[in-house]
Amino acid sequence: AQSYTYDGEKKTATVEVSGVPANMTVTEASSNASATHVSDGVVTAHADKVKIEKDGKDVTPNFEIIYVDDALEIIPAELTIVTADATKTYDGKPLTAGGTITGLVNDSDATLVTTGVQIDVGKSSNTYTIDWADGVEQTDYKVVSETIGDLEVLPMKVTVTVIGGSKDYTGKPQTATVQGTGLTDSYTVALATSDASVTHVSEGAVKAYADHIQILDENGKDITDNLDIEYVDGWLEIIPVKLTVVTPNKTKTYDGYG
């Protein structure tokens, strides 16, 4: 079979004539077989017109011609797809990236549309679809190479600090406060507490951790898992209340009594 890569143009079969004496000329040798698209399939090609002349005279009827048919087909044009990599720190907004498609006969035949999206911390493939133009036969193309990029969102770095310290004894439990730094203005610390508690001096210094943290974005979505949190622990202790003891002076003449 005579195979041609799709290029949008109609392809015809060629006809070769052999065994003609040197003093004669093949003036016509053609086939009506043609194919343009892969969907045309394998087209049988006959030698529909053959003409042999000698000195300008048609002598074709004087030959016993043996016809050997052939076939004609169109094979798909090869496409290469590349979608890009992209990385960013979490900001709550979709991460996307473009891509390229090469090998189209006409650039207007199709458009590569990347469909990969990564919002939360993690990694995913930058997938794609091909948007074919009206009238284009998809079978005329074949994707032979794909390079698929990755979309990666990295956690935002945040510091959570527990503020404890030394507190005067009051008879009531004393607790630590927790604060976060490094957040953008659109994020809110909805919960930041420590379970650490101390009441008496005898309890000594108690380690205070940030036991409960919840951070929300501007839409109220919990984004705590999208953060790279550095925890700075604190301490709590009770210090004794200072007492002042005063004993009064008293004087008398000895009378034998205390």
Side-chain angles (χ1 to χ4, degrees), residues 165-172 174 198-205 236-244:
S166 299
K167 301 178 182 290
D168 291 332
Y169 172 74
T170 65
K172 297 179 180 179
Q174 301 297 313
V198 63
T199 304
H200 302 284
V201 174
S202 59
E203 296 175 61
L236 272 176
E237 65 177 348
I238 300 297
I239 58 176
V241 175
K242 294 181 179 181
L243 301 178
T244 301

Side-chain angles (χ1 to χ4, degrees), residues 40-55:
D40 293 333
V42 178
V43 178
T44 301
H46 307 284
D48 297 291
K49 296 179 180 180
V50 174
K51 186 176 183 180
I52 303 170
E53 294 183 355
K54 179 182 179 184
D55 301 327

Side-chain angles (χ1 to χ4, degrees), residues 165-185:
S166 299
K167 301 178 182 290
D168 291 332
Y169 172 74
T170 65
K172 297 179 180 179
Q174 301 297 313
T175 58
T177 58
V178 180
Q179 67 178 19
T181 57
L183 293 170
T184 63
D185 293 339

